[in-house]
């Protein structure tokens, strides 16, 4: 099973996770910029984080045979801190980078006026840079927050085919798919969405414009939930092509709209020897 | 005191091989970009998407060579040039940072162009790369510019870093001239630690230890190679 995890925070994960993900079939992923748990207090710590998403983390992932891309944004939670908002002015220089395949995570946390402003501004940055947008939906008051998010997306003028709304559930998937946006689901051990519920959503709504991710981070989460969902789909009677569509083709199609998703031609054949190539430069993966 | 290294480092100037590797669109974009040096901050990140990134020559790629063209076209010298390079490096992703590091010899008075008059001013960029853990950046930092400018102590530590990170020493520029007795001692001590731990000792430190270390340290190695340690 070949897996592309379209939303996972590898900065918070260990090398054991990378090894387990590779063994489970994960060959590519997107790490969205988000909150680190500990609030940041200055723009500079965002810039170091963005540099890490563009530098150290792809390098680390490559050592485990996994291709790493990222999305860059000021996240909704920290958009409420005036000390962090100047990050918005510096985003263009990061959105110009090769491995940035979307603007994100943007969206609502508490639906404040500050969040309204950051969401609208960053949707316009996505339009300006020709990038998709990865939009987080709030955990509290999710249905209302999702409707409001769709309104802002519509007002922005961005093509809905370039937008994924993430962390959806049974109550929010319908309006999102109807809007023309993509529907993202985060499969979690206890909250958000489970693999069995996900199978039911797929039965009802089909596999088109659907992304399944682990959204694994520093909280209780599981980087192998993508694989578990694939297994649950097969057990429920979906064929291999449907699993491949949800877990590989769909994220490739969505992020491919950036024009920057350059996947290695043979993602199943990482070369452990010295001639393996990262960004065209010879590195040794894994070491001895 | 020169030590024979098996293979010289990659050629310092990748630009001559570039034109044949560019598409007509890539070449037109690069020509236009080269004529707009004041726009380099916006153009530099886009090079890879516009010109490509296939391997070119040695360990270089098309994007690195194209970025070298942009950097050597900057109408800047000395501190002003160092400031712009520092900014591009600071704001660059790893591919951009490698390109800046690899272009340094071309901007140095001792390099083939020699017009940039950079002197020691780019040393902080090297030190930053050498502090990191990304092998590709460490390797890019250790070109002819590093060989010409790094102080002895920093150069020795950089070589030792390469041994630890398994970067082949034939990728380190100037090793034949810069290796000294102190470096040989450090490498011999490193070999001792590895031997005690029952771990393999990289073969490529052998020529330096053999020719420069004390007789005692060199005796770690037999006449045919690593005695009982591989």
């Amino acid at each position: 099973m070949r897996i592309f995890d379209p939303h996972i925070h590898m900065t918070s994960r260990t090398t054991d996770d990378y090894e387990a993900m590779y063994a489970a079939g994960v060959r590519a992923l997107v790490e969205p910029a988000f909150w680190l748990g500990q609030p940041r207090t200055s723009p500079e710590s965002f810039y170091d984080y963005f540099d890490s998403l563009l530098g150290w983390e792809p390098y680390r992932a490559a050592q485990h045979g996994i291709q790493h891309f990222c999305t860059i944004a000021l996240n909704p939670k920290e958009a409420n801190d005036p000390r962090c908002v100047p990050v918005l002015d510096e985003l263009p220089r990061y959105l110009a980078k090769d491995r940035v395949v979307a603007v994100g995570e943007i969206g609502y946390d508490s639906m404040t006026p500050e969040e309204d402003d950051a969401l609208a501004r960053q949707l316009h940055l996505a339009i300006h840079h020709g990038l998709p947008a990865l939009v987080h939906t709030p955990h509290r008051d999710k249905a209302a927050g999702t409707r409001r998010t769709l309104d802002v997306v519509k007002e922005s003028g961005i093509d809905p085919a370039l937008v994924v709304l993430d962390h959806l559930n049974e109550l929010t998937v319908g309006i999102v798919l109807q809007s023309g946006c993509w529907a993202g689901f985060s499969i979690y051990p206890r909250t958000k969405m489970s693999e069995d519920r996900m199978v039911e959503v797929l039965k009802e709504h089909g596999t088109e414009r659907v992304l399944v991710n682990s959204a694994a981070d520093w909280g209780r989460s599981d980087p192998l939930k993508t694989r578990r969902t694939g297994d649950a789909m097969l057990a429920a009677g979906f064929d291999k092509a449907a699993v491949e569509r949800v877990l590989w083709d769909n994220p490739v199609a969505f992020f491919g709209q950036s024009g920057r998703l350059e996947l290695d031609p043979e993602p199943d054949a990482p070369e452990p020897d010295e001639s393996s190539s990262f960004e065209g430069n010879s590195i040794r993966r894994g070491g001895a | 005191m020169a030590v024979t290294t098996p293979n010289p480092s990659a050629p310092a100037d990748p630009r001559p091989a570039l034109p044949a590797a560019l598409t007509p669109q890539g070449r037109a974009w690069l020509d236009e970009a080269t004529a707009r040096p004041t726009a380099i901050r916006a153009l530099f990140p886009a090079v890879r998407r516009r010109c490509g990134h296939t391997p070119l020559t040695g360990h270089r790629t098309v994007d690195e060579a194209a970025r070298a063209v942009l950097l050597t076209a900057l109408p800047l010298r000395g501190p002003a040039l160092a400031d712009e390079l520092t900014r591009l490096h600071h704001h660059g992703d790893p591919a951009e940072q490698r390109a800046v590091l690899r272009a340094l010899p071309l901007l140095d008075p001792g390099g083939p162009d020699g017009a940039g008059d950079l002197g020691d001013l780019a040393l902080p960029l090297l030190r930053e790369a050498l502090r990191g853990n990304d092998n590709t950046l460490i390797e890019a930092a250790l070109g002819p510019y590093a060989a010409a400018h790094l102080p002895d102590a920093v150069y020795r530590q950089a070589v030792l870093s390469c041994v630890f990170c398994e970067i082949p020493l034939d990728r380190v520029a100037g090793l034949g001239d810069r290796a000294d007795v102190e470096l040989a001692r450090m490498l011999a001590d490193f070999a001792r630690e590895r031997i005690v731990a029952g771990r393999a000792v990289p073969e490529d430190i052998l020529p330096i230890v053999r020719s420069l270390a004390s007789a005692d340290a060199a005796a770690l190695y037999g006449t045919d190679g690593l005695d009982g340690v591989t």
Side-chain angles (χ1 to χ4, degrees):
Chain A
M1 193 182 295
R2 186 170 56 153
I3 297 169
F4 186 127
D5 192 335
H7 183 150
I8 182 165
H9 300 283
M10 293 312 299
T11 301
S12 307
R13 311 301 305 195
T14 64
T15 50
D16 285 358
D17 288 331
Y18 271 123
E19 285 174 10
M21 287 163 66
Y22 184 83
V26 178
R27 295 293 179 273
L29 59 83
V30 166
E31 176 160 8
F34 199 54
W35 192 47
L36 282 181
Q38 175 69 34
R40 299 179 181 90
T41 58
S42 75
E44 280 69 23
S45 54
F46 280 88
Y47 307 146
D48 288 338
Y49 174 65
F50 295 158
D51 287 338
S52 178
L53 295 184
L54 287 160
W56 180 236
E57 208 53 49
Y59 181 76
R60 213 163 73 97
Q63 291 177 331
H64 299 279
I66 294 177
Q67 302 176 69
H68 181 292
F69 301 88
C70 72
T71 76
I72 293 286
L74 173 62
N75 65 77
K77 216 179 251 287
E78 288 173 309
N80 291 298
D81 187 332
R83 293 173 299 181
C84 298
V85 174
V87 168
L88 290 172
D89 300 324
E90 290 292 322
L91 289 180
R93 72 173 158 95
Y94 288 98
L95 299 180
K97 303 301 182 191
D98 286 328
R99 300 190 79 83
V100 176
V101 292
V103 175
E105 293 178 61
I106 54 178
Y108 285 119
D109 178 58
S110 303
M111 290 186 270
T112 63
E114 290 80 6
E115 292 172 24
D116 279 328
D117 182 53
L119 175 56
R121 280 179 69 181
Q122 294 184 99
L123 284 170
H124 283 112
L125 284 174
I127 294 170
H128 182 73
H129 290 268
L131 287 170
L134 170 55
V135 186
H136 160 107
T137 56
H139 304 307
R140 303 175 303 280
D141 201 9
K142 185 179 286 286
T146 302
R147 283 193 297 273
R148 182 155 155 189
T149 304
L150 288 172
D151 288 343
V152 177
V153 166
K154 194 172 180 185
E155 277 168 31
S156 77
I158 192 171
D159 179 355
L162 284 166
V163 178
V164 59
L165 266 63
D166 211 345
H167 318 314
L168 300 183
N169 60 26
E170 293 85 349
L171 301 178
T172 52
V173 55
I175 51 170
V176 171
L177 285 174
Q178 210 168 20
S179 74
C181 293
W182 290 64
F185 296 88
S186 302
I187 315 302
Y188 258 40
R190 291 162 70 178
T191 57
K192 291 190 173 80
M193 173 63 63
S194 71
E195 50 268 45
D196 293 335
R197 285 164 60 201
M198 188 67 229
V199 166
E200 294 305 315
V201 168
L202 288 166
K203 282 183 189 166
E204 185 175 344
H205 295 277
T207 55
E208 201 183 327
R209 279 188 290 126
V210 170
L211 301 181
V212 168
N213 60 67
S214 72
D217 57 10
W218 30 255
R220 188 187 294 268
S221 51
D222 179 355
L224 304 185
K225 280 296 187 188
T226 47
R227 172 61 192 249
R228 305 266 182 269
T229 302
D231 291 340
M233 285 178 70
L234 292 173
F238 283 95
D239 61 14
K240 283 183 178 174
V243 174
E244 171 96 357
R245 190 177 313 128
V246 171
L247 294 181
W248 186 269
D249 299 342
N250 282 355
V252 169
F254 179 75
F255 291 110
Q257 297 178 99
S258 67
R260 303 184 196 173
L261 189 73
E262 281 188 16
L263 290 161
D264 286 350
E266 294 174 73
D268 278 307
E271 302 163 73
D273 64 354
E274 192 207 320
S275 65
S276 63
S277 150
F278 167 62
E279 293 278 335
N281 281 265
S282 175
I283 62 164
R284 290 188 172 184
R285 298 185 196 200
Chain B
M1 69 178 271
V3 175
T4 308
T5 46
N7 188 11
S9 51
D13 193 347
R15 293 171 298 173
L18 180 61
L22 287 173
T23 62
Q25 296 91 329
R27 189 184 301 203
W29 184 87
L30 186 60
D31 286 345
E32 195 184 321
T34 309
R36 298 173 56 208
T38 55
I40 191 163
R41 293 176 191 181
L43 298 170
F44 202 64
V47 167
R48 198 168 173 277
R49 297 194 290 275
R50 298 294 194 155
C51 298
H53 55 92
T54 49
L56 192 58
T57 174
H59 302 293
R60 309 308 178 83
T61 53
V62 165
D63 53 314
E64 276 183 15
R67 283 180 168 137
V69 168
L70 291 183
L71 293 176
T72 52
L74 287 172
L76 301 170
R77 301 175 61 82
L81 175 62
D83 285 350
E84 190 60 48
L85 293 174
T86 300
R87 198 192 136 85
L88 290 170
H89 181 269
H90 178 63
H91 289 172
D93 64 18
E96 293 169 74
Q97 293 187 338
R98 282 193 295 272
V100 171
L101 293 168
R102 289 222 159 101
L104 294 177
L106 307 175
L107 302 163
D108 193 38
D113 287 15
D117 201 15
L118 197 55
D120 287 341
L121 295 170
L123 274 180
L125 307 187
L126 265 53
R127 292 175 187 270
E128 184 177 325
L130 295 173
R131 277 197 302 273
N133 279 326
D134 183 333
N135 286 8
T136 68
L137 290 169
I138 294 172
E139 190 183 317
L142 292 176
Y145 182 86
H149 295 279
L150 277 186
D152 289 338
V154 182
Y155 188 86
R156 291 185 202 111
Q157 286 288 338
V159 173
L160 212 56
S161 287
C162 289
V163 176
F164 272 86
C165 298
E166 301 180 353
I167 296 171
L169 292 186
D170 63 8
R171 307 277 174 83
V172 179
L175 193 56
D177 295 326
R178 297 284 317 252
D180 57 11
V181 172
E182 177 64 1
L183 176 63
R185 180 201 63 75
M186 292 162 81
L187 291 172
D189 283 356
F190 161 81
R192 277 197 195 91
E193 281 184 50
R194 282 285 173 99
I195 292 165
V196 168
R199 300 176 64 192
V201 179
E203 295 268 356
D204 57 358
I205 70 171
L206 183 59
I208 300 171
V209 174
R210 268 213 180 128
S211 54
L212 292 169
S214 65
D216 180 39
L220 280 170
Y221 304 93
T223 48
D224 299 324
L226 303 168
D227 249 4
V229 297
T230 48

